[in-house]
Amino acid sequence: VQLVESGGGSVQAGGSLRLSCAASAYTYTPYCMGWFRQAPGKEREGVATINIGGGSTVYADSVKGRFTISQGNAKNTVYLQMNSLKPEDTARYYCAADSRPKSYYDLLLSNQYMYWGPGTQVTVS
């Protein structure tokens, strides 16, 4: 399974971006998909995840109220709408997917995801 992200770019503080992620295998339906980010010199952190079957979502405290994760009509696509962007949101954003059920506490842990995209850069100035 390959994941491909798109939609990154450069934006001024307060602006918006929408990231997209699609899995290459049309028959692949993951248990959950999520967005993670990594800034230079920092560890990769979970941003938002969505349970593909039930639609429940989890967000990092730093993005609550500003970011929204959603799934597309195809159950192997997800989006991340990012509003009110801040310079501290600058990072490379990665899409991830996994087919194994997870507890609430594991949903934002990067080591719980098997499939990863190459990432897309988001720069907020």
Side-chain angles (χ1 to χ4, degrees):
V1 176
Q2 292 184 328
L3 304 178
V4 179
E5 305 98 336
S6 61
S10 297
V11 65
Q12 290 188 337
S16 299
L17 285 173
R18 186 183 192 224
L19 306 183
S20 301
C21 173
S24 60
Y26 295 108
T27 58
Y28 176 66
T29 301
Y31 173 83
C32 56
M33 295 183 73
W35 290 95
F36 294 76
R37 66 186 181 186
Q38 188 167 20
K42 294 188 177 182
E43 293 187 354
R44 189 170 298 189
E45 63 172 348
V47 175
T49 67
I50 185 167
N51 176 288
I52 297 301
S56 59
T57 57
V58 179
Y59 294 92
D61 289 343
S62 59
V63 306
K64 283 181 181 177
R66 300 188 297 122
F67 291 12
T68 302
I69 188 171
S70 60
Q71 65 183 75
N73 291 330
K75 290 190 174 182
N76 56 5
T77 59
V78 290
Y79 306 98
L80 185 68
Q81 179 66 43
M82 305 185 293
N83 298 328
S84 302
L85 283 161
K86 304 175 181 180
E88 50 263 44
D89 295 317
T90 295
R92 190 165 187 84
Y93 283 69
Y94 298 88
C95 177
D98 200 87
S99 57
R100 299 165 293 179
K102 304 184 192 319
S103 71
Y104 173 86
Y105 302 101
D106 289 342
L107 287 170
L108 286 177
L109 298 180
S110 59
N111 62 7
Q112 297 294 314
Y113 288 78
M114 179 174 294
Y115 301 108
W116 291 86
T120 184
Q121 180 67 32
V122 171
T123 303
V124 185
S125 60

